Amino acid sequence: MFDLLKSELSRRTLLSKAGFGLITLGIVPTILKPSRSLAQAAKEPPMPPEKKLGWAVVGLGKFATQQIIPSFAECKRSKLVALVSGDRPKAEQYARQYGVNPKNIYNYQNYDTIRNNPEVDVIYIILPNALHAEYTIRGAQAAKHIMCEKPMAITVAECQAMIDAAKKAGRKLMIAYRAQYEPFNLATIQLAQSGKLGKLKSIVSDHGRNLDPKEPSDRWRANKKLAGGGSLYDIGIYSLNATRYITGEEPVEISAMMYSTPNDPRFREVEENVNFTLRFPSGVLANCTSSYGYSDTKRIQVFGSDATLELDPATDYYKHRLTVKSKSGNEERNIQEQNQFALEMDHLSESIMNNKQPKTPGEEGLQDVKLMQLIYEAARTGRTIKV
């Protein structure tokens, strides 16, 4: 099933041949409410270190080193204990900086021996999309719980294989849909589903940025073999997620258009723009866009019969703004920013400790990949696809 990468001797070899170093990407059954209050959890005192689960981070690219690894300092149930990288000096540098024992540094060849390390409870896969399946499956076979970045994988078959491997190993698999743990997005879900906006009518969700292959973190994203798709797979997934977690429904019809600027070398292999429309059982229509060619945008708008909600920025790392507009005026909601990376990692640790299903399990990642494949089909054929 995974012949895509079998000709390569290692991940480092694969990425080297693609022309870049080891770098990583830079957000579900539908989630209505968290299993417990994240605000409540934030007020709880940190657990003693021996009560925290040990995490290994696989891949030391920009996202891992600038966002995830520093966020362990704000975790109450999770601690960084191991690193996996094809660049030993780089791994040693971060091990020193964050207090990781050098004996807990692994590469992509001896990765499977992590099964012998009782300090590691959870593995966080932060690799290019095409490598998610292989390293998730190997991690589950090493008897570790798994957090995997989104999109879950590049094909439906790979997603299912990941789910099957985790179930066979008796381990939990969670997909890192960070927005589902972020307080402003949780407030948006509550407002939309509580009826405070009236009857939901429409959602608009736009996510875009300019792809810059000069940046190491963007090089693999222009390579379809590694990325699986273009703007839809990378940031359009945020637009897709938003419609699902806000409505609490699954789409029943999909239509789409796709366009890439002719002769732009960035889009030889992956698409630039995808506009897609979803119809939900309640009648809500969602108009979504993803782009690798327009300026940074992370916006969600929810239109109800009584009020309109705007979340902009909606899926930023550390800054959000939520405004409700109605006849009585505009109200900006005062919500405390929290570290969404720490919240999602602690959620998985808590799920493991309490033997509960995570909010965003592998099945949710599988559903999104199914839907994105249907969006591509609708764009290619010009047909409205029944889901």
Side-chain angles (χ1 to χ4, degrees):
M1 182 182 301
F2 307 111
D3 290 336
L4 175 66
L5 302 176
K6 293 304 182 183
S7 62
E8 305 293 341
L9 296 177
S10 68
R11 173 178 177 266
R12 191 174 188 183
T13 302
L14 173 66
L15 298 185
S16 176
K17 289 185 178 181
F20 42 87
L22 296 171
I23 33 73
T24 64
L25 58 97
I27 69 190
V28 284
T30 303
I31 305 307
L32 305 184
K33 296 179 181 178
S35 58
R36 63 196 298 275
S37 169
L38 290 176
Q40 177 184 355
K43 295 177 182 178
E44 296 177 0
M47 288 186 174
E50 63 270 16
K51 295 291 186 181
K52 294 182 178 181
L53 295 189
W55 284 59
V57 170
V58 182
L60 297 182
K62 181 179 178 180
F63 181 67
T65 58
Q66 295 188 13
Q67 306 301 333
I68 297 304
I69 291 177
S71 293
F72 279 101
E74 299 185 54
C75 287
K76 298 177 176 64
R77 296 162 177 79
S78 315
K79 59 182 178 180
L80 179 67
V81 300
L83 301 170
V84 181
S85 174
D87 187 337
R88 178 77 189 194
K90 184 177 185 179
E92 290 176 343
Q93 171 194 335
Y94 284 101
R96 288 191 299 271
Q97 184 175 350
Y98 291 98
V100 174
N101 192 323
K103 75 179 182 63
N104 290 344
I105 296 175
Y106 298 85
N107 58 43
Y108 297 102
Q109 289 71 47
N110 67 13
Y111 170 64
D112 305 279
T113 65
I114 205 168
R115 70 160 49 249
N116 302 320
N117 190 340
E119 293 183 59
V120 177
D121 300 293
V122 187
I123 295 173
Y124 191 166
I125 310 297
I126 313 179
L127 299 171
N129 304 338
L131 301 169
H132 288 181
E134 177 184 347
Y135 285 89
T136 292
I137 291 170
R138 290 170 64 184
Q141 290 171 343
K144 306 300 181 182
H145 302 281
I146 306 292
M147 172 96 86
C148 181
E149 264 303 324
K150 65 199 169 301
M152 183 177 178
I154 63 174
T155 69
V156 170
E158 287 182 340
C159 292
Q160 188 61 56
M162 294 161 71
I163 292 170
D164 294 344
K167 287 182 177 178
K168 183 177 180 179
R171 295 296 181 265
K172 299 189 187 302
L173 170 60
M174 176 173 151
I175 309 304
Y177 287 99
R178 59 182 173 83
Q180 301 303 319
Y181 303 88
E182 191 283 312
F184 284 76
N185 279 269
L186 291 175
T188 296
I189 295 170
Q190 194 278 329
L191 286 166
Q193 297 186 8
S194 67
K196 292 182 179 178
L197 304 179
K199 180 174 175 54
L200 296 189
K201 297 293 185 177
S202 179
I203 296 172
V204 175
S205 187
D206 303 302
H207 285 79
R209 66 181 183 86
N210 275 294
L211 185 72
D212 184 4
K214 294 178 183 178
E215 290 290 328
S217 59
D218 266 359
R219 288 176 192 165
W220 67 264
R221 289 182 168 90
N223 182 318
K224 188 172 184 179
K225 184 178 180 181
L226 289 172
S231 69
L232 180 62
Y233 260 44
D234 186 32
I235 47 180
I237 192 171
Y238 289 90
S239 294
L240 175 61
N241 279 173
T243 66
R244 297 177 61 223
Y245 60 70
I246 290 170
T247 62
E249 299 180 331
E250 297 294 342
V252 293
E253 286 185 358
I254 296 174
S255 59
M257 292 187 292
M258 186 162 52
Y259 178 80
S260 297
T261 302
N263 302 318
D264 189 323
R266 296 177 296 171
F267 309 120
R268 292 192 185 102
E269 299 183 25
V270 300
E271 82 279 351
E272 177 183 5
N273 303 298
V274 183
N275 286 27
F276 55 99
T277 300
L278 310 171
R279 183 172 71 83
F280 290 88
S282 63
V284 171
L285 297 177
N287 295 301
C288 304
T289 67
S290 73
S291 179
Y292 269 161
Y294 60 62
S295 61
D296 286 2
T297 302
K298 303 171 182 177
R299 178 181 61 208
I300 298 169
Q301 295 172 298
V302 184
F303 300 90
S305 58
D306 299 331
T308 296
L309 178 155
E310 183 171 87
L311 187 56
D312 185 14
T315 55
D316 195 67
Y317 289 164
Y318 296 105
K319 181 181 179 181
H320 304 82
R321 185 177 182 182
L322 175 59
T323 305
V324 177
K325 303 175 182 180
S326 64
K327 290 182 179 179
S328 59
N330 297 348
E331 177 191 359
E332 185 172 339
R333 294 299 175 104
N334 184 18
I335 300 171
Q336 182 180 354
E337 293 277 3
Q338 295 182 53
N339 187 316
Q340 59 197 288
F341 308 114
L343 291 174
E344 70 174 350
M345 288 189 288
D346 274 348
H347 175 79
L348 179 54
S349 290
E350 184 181 66
S351 297
I352 294 165
M353 291 174 175
N354 297 326
N355 195 26
K356 293 182 178 180
Q357 174 85 319
K359 291 197 303 176
T360 53
E363 288 78 6
E364 179 59 16
L366 169 64
Q367 176 69 355
D368 275 338
V369 173
K370 284 181 177 178
L371 292 174
M372 288 191 293
Q373 290 293 325
L374 292 177
I375 290 169
Y376 282 136
E377 180 183 350
R380 285 193 305 266
T381 64
R383 296 187 294 109
T384 297
I385 305 294
K386 302 282 188 181
V387 181

